[in-house]
Amino acid sequence: MECLSWQEFLEALLKKEQKKMTQFKDLPTDRKRVEFCLADENINNSLQKWLEKNIPQEKQKLSGKYMELKTKGNKAYIGKDNNKALELYNQAMIHACQGEEFALVLGNRSAVLFSQKRFEECITDIDIALLNNFPTDKLWKLYKRKAEALIKLKRCLQGKIFVDKALEELHRLGNKDDEVTKLTEILISLDVEKDESSNSTTSGKLVRPVGEFNPTMKYASSHLKRCFDKTKGRYIISDQDILKGSIILSETPYAAVLLKPMFKTHCQHCFTKISLPFPCYKCIEVRYCSETCRKASWEEYHYFECCRINLLDKVGISRLAMRIILITPMQTLRLFEQQDSSKLTVSSGCSNEGCYDSKEYTSVYHLVSNSQYMIAEDLFQYSCAALLMLKVLSRFSYIDDSADSTFIGGLILRHILQLVCNAHAITSLSYTDSQSNVVEQDQVRIATAIYPTTSLLNHSCEPSIVNSFQNERLIVKLTRDVKKGEEIFNCYGPHYRRMEFKERQKILQEQYFFTCSCTHCEQGLTSVNELDCFICEKCQGILNDQGCCQSCRITDKDRLVYCENMEQTCHDNFLNALSLMTNKRDDQLNIKAAIKILKRCQKSRLAVLSPNHKKLGETNDALGKCYATLDNYESSVDYVTKSVAVTELHFGGESIEVTNELLKLSDVYMAWIQQLIDQKNKTKLNKHLTSQGIPMIERTLRLVQMNKEEGNEDIALLSDRLQSLIKLQHLL
């Protein structure tokens, strides 16, 4: 069998076993489906062979590599190249074995951190080094460094303790160190009776929903109520009037897995972007943001996944299904071995006390799987994935290899099916600085998770909520006022502003097995298509796909062909302009050339595209960046403002897309204001502060507070900008 990817293998196996689908589709339960695949010799053997071919070679920590990197780090530190030393020590830690090697490189890293005045992080590294068999003959150095760091943080009382420890160690070794003696003298001159408390922040500060937490639906607002009917299933309504912008859910996932491209940059456990990495105890694949996360990850699931992540990563969503099993105690799983989940009620997923808690396994178990609607071929492939995961658990001694264990296979299959329609993508903001004053922001997917409470929200193509993330925590806010008794809706992807009616219906039916009946679907609205159209040459009306004008009713297919060809030319020219904008040689000449191309492109597009077409919006956006690069901020503000207007028509005034465009506008606007201040142009300042600047910054701040995660740095930035503009207005 050639080495096929998992999906290629499944498709080949399905083709080979197609005749068995008639029998397979009649199987009544997930466990029976897994047992069918296990009992079939051809299917079972094929899965076993694929597994054997794809079991990864364990990547060992290399002591030679550790020593090489640590030595280079020492040289960089002696040469006072702290940034390089830190990078090399971080790399050395990946290959450091647990114990003295790990402790030594932590000790070295703490010295670099002290030099960089990162005293809290320095102390953390020292504390962990002390717990990992740091050489006794060098202990006094760590105690001395910790004392110095504490003194720098005005925690002199604690600092004195570690000065004394350093002196004790030196006395034990029969040595004396002048630096420790000097430190003692410094302490005598300080007030060691009063310590300042640590001013370190807690990024994991709990974000509470409006009205506090719900006693019967943990992580949800007390203003929400869980309901049920046969048509909708379980759903959530407001139990009183709730204002737009209110947080209604603040939920951590039952289980979540980091995506492989993020392994080197984000914590494997809490998904924080890593400042100082803490590697796994054994493998070189994963990183953590702290010793706390490293320990928790190992105890909960990484003890099994360690050195097998490459295998688990090949099977897609099945990896998260496996994680659900790994973090759930076996005695808990056993409780669901014979449970009938086919009949949902309002209390499904609740504890015996009637509380719906998304950290309890029952809340995950009772999420819908839609297995009754799936075609046999899809169910077969998911069943094979579940059996493969069962084989992995058996091969590496997590469970016994017996027929009794197939109930675990049935649970894995159940979770795979649930994740197809209930999984959430955890996202994080990615910032890109350009040579202009405009900062680009993109939402980047970093992990996949299951949030049982948020999964209770039904779909609408115009949702009443927006999601943001605080690392792994999902924060759900209302995008509009909600009246008492009104249902609260999520959007499962197909949004009426981003997708046409037929496409939305197709996706919802194929993946979620229902027909949406929201207002926009009932009316069959196609607003997206009306904005992004070619226009009639005679009356500027909208052309349909056949070249017929919706206004004058004249059909001109030649016009349609002309428009298509013109837009293709414009698209090619637009890409050429973008290339010039990113070329760092002869910046000014390239930007000016790009502006000429973009203006020709814009003129041509205005002749063939509807006036609020997305392509015109992106042309205005590019021109805004060009003018900002040339420090012509007045023109930049004009073009970015036009881009905001087009974006708003397409995505709505409260959307994340408009939020990001307004953030760009605020960047160039502030640069323009500074120019006007330097020019002492009070007339323009007065005019634009009142009519544009202050209202725009206020709106941007409100949208960022609604659409971005709690504590987002843009909130503080915009607040400062708003206060600056208000103060400036008073001075004029």
Side-chain angles (χ1 to χ4, degrees):
M1 183 187 295
E2 69 265 35
C3 191
L4 299 174
S5 72
W6 175 241
Q7 193 53 47
E8 289 171 338
F9 164 77
L10 282 178
E11 289 169 3
L13 183 61
L14 175 60
K15 187 175 181 180
K16 186 179 176 182
E17 306 295 337
Q18 185 67 49
K19 292 181 180 178
K20 297 172 183 174
M21 292 304 101
T22 303
Q23 181 184 359
F24 180 82
K25 71 181 178 66
D26 293 328
L27 297 171
T29 66
D30 293 326
R31 182 171 183 174
K32 291 291 184 185
R33 294 175 186 116
V34 174
E35 287 175 343
F36 176 92
C37 296
L38 179 64
D40 188 290
E41 187 175 352
N42 289 332
I43 297 171
N44 190 38
N45 288 344
S46 295
L47 285 166
Q48 189 64 40
K49 287 177 183 177
W50 189 90
L51 177 59
E52 297 296 335
K53 282 180 177 288
N54 286 275
I55 290 176
Q57 294 258 331
E58 184 173 334
K59 293 182 180 179
Q60 301 283 348
K61 291 179 181 286
L62 303 171
S63 288
K65 190 74 172 173
Y66 157 76
M67 283 302 300
E68 176 191 345
L69 290 165
K70 184 164 82 76
T71 302
K72 287 181 178 178
N74 293 344
K75 287 180 180 178
Y77 177 65
I78 292 168
K80 298 188 176 180
D81 189 345
N82 286 326
N83 290 335
K84 186 176 181 181
L86 186 61
E87 182 184 345
L88 288 163
Y89 287 146
N90 285 341
Q91 292 176 28
M93 287 181 71
I94 304 302
H95 290 283
C97 292
Q98 199 63 25
E100 186 173 304
E101 284 187 358
F102 185 63
L104 279 169
V105 76
L106 271 172
N108 289 2
R109 192 171 77 174
S110 73
V112 178
L113 294 170
F114 185 89
S115 297
Q116 294 179 328
K117 299 183 179 180
R118 297 164 67 175
F119 301 121
E120 290 285 4
E121 292 166 306
C122 168
I123 291 168
T124 298
D125 272 10
I126 290 170
D127 288 343
I128 300 169
L130 292 171
L131 294 171
N132 279 272
N133 299 321
F134 192 83
T136 55
D137 61 321
K138 298 178 180 178
L139 277 174
W140 70 272
K141 291 184 177 180
L142 283 193
Y143 290 143
K144 173 177 171 285
R145 187 175 301 136
K146 182 170 181 179
E148 290 173 317
L150 287 165
I151 291 168
K152 293 289 186 183
L153 294 169
K154 309 297 184 187
R155 287 146 62 183
C156 301
L157 193 60
Q158 295 176 56
K160 184 178 183 304
I161 293 170
F162 287 93
V163 170
D164 292 342
K165 285 191 174 188
L167 289 170
E168 285 174 18
E169 285 298 316
L170 285 168
H171 179 73
R172 183 179 62 79
L173 294 169
N175 295 334
K176 184 179 179 182
D177 184 80
D178 291 339
E179 292 298 319
V180 178
T181 305
K182 288 179 183 177
L183 203 58
T184 307
E185 292 171 357
I186 291 170
L187 275 169
I188 292 170
S189 67
L190 296 172
D191 183 2
V192 297
E193 298 302 322
K194 294 180 181 179
D195 267 11
E196 291 188 12
S197 60
S198 172
N199 58 0
S200 59
T201 58
T202 54
S203 60
K205 182 182 178 182
L206 182 61
V207 179
R208 294 184 176 277
V210 61
E212 295 302 317
F213 287 108
N214 195 313
T216 62
M217 191 163 43
K218 201 171 179 182
Y219 303 109
S221 163
S222 58
H223 296 352
L224 303 185
K225 182 179 179 182
R226 195 175 64 257
C227 301
F228 174 84
D229 73 29
K230 291 181 180 179
T231 304
K232 293 181 179 181
R234 292 171 298 173
Y235 60 100
I236 292 176
I237 65 169
S238 58
D239 204 24
Q240 57 183 279
D241 294 352
I242 314 177
L243 295 176
K244 169 183 171 180
S246 299
I247 296 173
I248 59 167
L249 283 163
S250 177
E251 183 176 20
T252 54
Y254 184 84
V257 294
L258 188 70
L259 300 180
K260 192 169 184 179
M262 304 297 163
F263 278 13
K264 292 183 179 180
T265 57
H266 288 73
C267 178
Q268 189 77 200
H269 189 65
C270 74
F271 312 140
T272 303
K273 195 162 187 181
I274 294 172
S275 172
L276 293 172
F278 289 81
C280 168
Y281 298 112
K282 289 179 64 178
C283 74
I284 64 172
E285 299 288 337
V286 303
R287 318 278 192 275
Y288 298 96
C289 67
S290 65
E291 180 68 13
T292 302
C293 279
R294 183 168 79 140
K295 185 173 183 290
S297 170
W298 183 265
E299 291 175 351
E300 290 179 32
Y301 53 84
H302 194 63
Y303 68 91
F304 182 84
E305 294 182 351
C306 186
C307 304
R308 301 177 191 120
I309 282 186
N310 284 332
L311 168 62
L312 297 174
D313 196 60
K314 290 180 180 181
V315 294
I317 201 72
S318 304
R319 183 184 167 206
L320 181 50
M322 168 80 92
R323 176 71 65 81
I324 292 171
I325 297 298
L326 290 173
I327 66 173
T328 307
M330 186 59 70
Q331 61 267 32
T332 300
L333 296 175
R334 282 282 181 190
L335 297 174
F336 294 84
E337 188 172 355
Q338 305 295 334
Q339 192 162 136
D340 178 18
S341 61
S342 58
K343 294 180 180 179
L344 282 176
T345 66
V346 72
S347 60
S348 294
C350 293
S351 65
N352 292 334
E353 292 75 31
C355 180
Y356 191 91
D357 183 349
S358 60
K359 296 307 286 183
E360 295 292 332
Y361 179 71
T362 185
S363 67
V364 177
Y365 180 83
H366 284 94
L367 293 175
V368 296
S369 68
N370 290 325
S371 60
Q372 69 273 32
Y373 304 119
M374 288 189 178
I375 60 173
E377 287 77 7
D378 286 348
L379 269 178
F380 174 73
Q381 292 190 48
Y382 293 135
S383 299
C384 288
L387 179 54
L388 183 79
M389 294 294 94
L390 188 64
K391 286 178 175 293
V392 172
L393 289 170
S394 174
R395 181 184 178 88
F396 297 108
S397 306
Y398 186 82
I399 57 174
D400 296 330
D401 188 7
S402 64
D404 183 54
S405 69
T406 57
F407 92 91
I408 294 290
L411 290 176
I412 295 173
L413 175 55
R414 178 178 184 81
H415 298 321
I416 292 172
L417 300 178
Q418 289 170 330
L419 291 168
V420 170
C421 51
N422 287 288
H424 277 74
I426 296 177
T427 60
S428 178
L429 276 177
S430 173
Y431 295 87
T432 305
D433 291 312
S434 64
Q435 51 194 331
S436 69
N437 277 337
V438 180
V439 178
E440 296 283 354
Q441 296 186 19
D442 292 308
Q443 289 285 343
V444 178
R445 183 179 174 186
I446 63 170
T448 306
I450 185 73
Y451 294 93
T453 310
T454 306
S455 293
L456 296 179
L457 295 172
N458 280 333
H459 166 84
S460 170
C461 296
E462 185 179 12
S464 42
I465 64 160
V466 64
N467 296 330
S468 63
F469 293 91
Q470 184 189 57
N471 298 330
E472 64 170 358
R473 182 176 289 275
L474 173 59
I475 312 297
V476 181
K477 300 176 187 175
L478 290 178
T479 55
R480 56 182 174 81
D481 294 345
V482 172
K483 297 292 184 183
K484 181 178 180 179
E486 189 177 341
E487 184 172 359
I488 296 171
F489 292 102
N490 196 356
C491 178
Y492 296 175
H495 193 288
Y496 86 101
R497 286 189 179 274
R498 296 167 176 81
M499 208 175 288
E500 294 182 28
F501 167 68
K502 288 182 180 179
E503 189 179 0
R504 299 200 308 270
Q505 290 289 311
K506 183 174 183 289
I507 289 173
L508 292 169
Q509 189 58 242
E510 288 179 352
Q511 185 172 352
Y512 300 98
F513 305 100
F514 69 86
T515 300
C516 182
S517 58
C518 72
T519 303
H520 299 283
C521 286
E522 283 187 341
Q523 295 175 1
L525 296 179
T526 57
S527 55
V528 173
N529 200 29
E530 292 171 1
L531 289 171
D532 288 338
C533 289
F534 295 123
I535 56 173
C536 173
E537 185 177 16
K538 293 182 174 61
C539 73
Q540 308 300 299
I542 292 170
L543 298 181
N544 66 17
D545 293 342
Q546 305 302 314
C548 178
C549 176
Q550 301 300 292
S551 296
C552 66
R553 299 297 175 182
I554 295 174
T555 299
D556 187 348
K557 291 188 178 181
D558 290 340
R559 168 66 177 177
L560 191 62
V561 172
Y562 170 80
C563 291
E564 288 171 348
N565 291 337
M566 178 61 75
E567 173 47 36
Q568 184 58 55
T569 301
C570 288
H571 178 70
D572 294 340
N573 289 335
F574 182 79
L575 294 180
N576 289 336
L578 292 185
S579 179
L580 285 169
M581 289 165 63
T582 55
N583 190 330
K584 293 187 177 180
R585 291 186 300 175
D586 299 322
D587 286 346
Q588 296 280 318
L589 291 174
N590 281 324
I591 295 299
K592 287 176 181 178
I595 288 174
K596 286 182 179 180
I597 294 171
L598 288 168
K599 285 192 171 181
R600 287 200 304 269
C601 177
Q602 186 185 50
K603 185 177 180 181
S604 297
R605 281 177 162 171
L606 282 168
V608 297
L609 301 179
S610 50
N612 294 302
H613 200 288
K614 282 180 188 172
K615 298 290 184 181
L616 288 167
E618 73 178 18
T619 310
N620 284 320
D621 185 71
L623 281 164
K625 290 177 192 173
C626 285
Y627 279 111
T629 305
L630 296 177
D631 295 339
N632 184 345
Y633 296 114
E634 184 170 7
S635 294
S636 179
V637 166
D638 182 48
Y639 281 110
V640 178
T641 300
K642 291 175 182 176
S643 176
V644 170
V646 173
T647 305
E648 185 169 348
L649 283 170
H650 281 270
F651 299 106
E654 308 288 315
S655 65
I656 186 68
E657 289 85 357
V658 166
T659 305
N660 289 334
E661 283 299 303
L662 282 169
L663 279 167
K664 293 180 196 177
L665 179 57
S666 72
D667 288 341
V668 293
Y669 184 83
M670 294 304 292
W672 181 38
I673 288 296
Q674 187 58 54
Q675 270 189 346
L676 292 176
I677 292 171
D678 294 341
Q679 295 165 6
K680 298 181 180 179
N681 193 333
K682 291 186 178 181
T683 304
K684 272 193 176 181
L685 275 171
N686 223 338
K687 176 184 175 183
H688 290 286
L689 281 174
T690 305
S691 65
Q692 182 179 10
I694 292 174
M696 181 269 293
I697 297 292
E698 287 176 335
R699 181 189 179 195
T700 308
L701 177 59
R702 179 177 59 79
L703 289 180
V704 167
Q705 288 172 330
M706 185 170 70
N707 284 303
K708 308 279 185 178
E709 67 272 15
E710 295 300 308
N712 183 277
E713 60 189 45
D714 289 325
I715 295 174
L717 176 65
L718 289 164
S719 297
D720 288 344
R721 286 177 173 177
L722 181 59
Q723 291 307 310
S724 297
L725 294 185
I726 292 172
K727 185 177 180 180
L728 179 61
Q729 186 183 42
H730 289 318
L731 291 173
L732 291 174

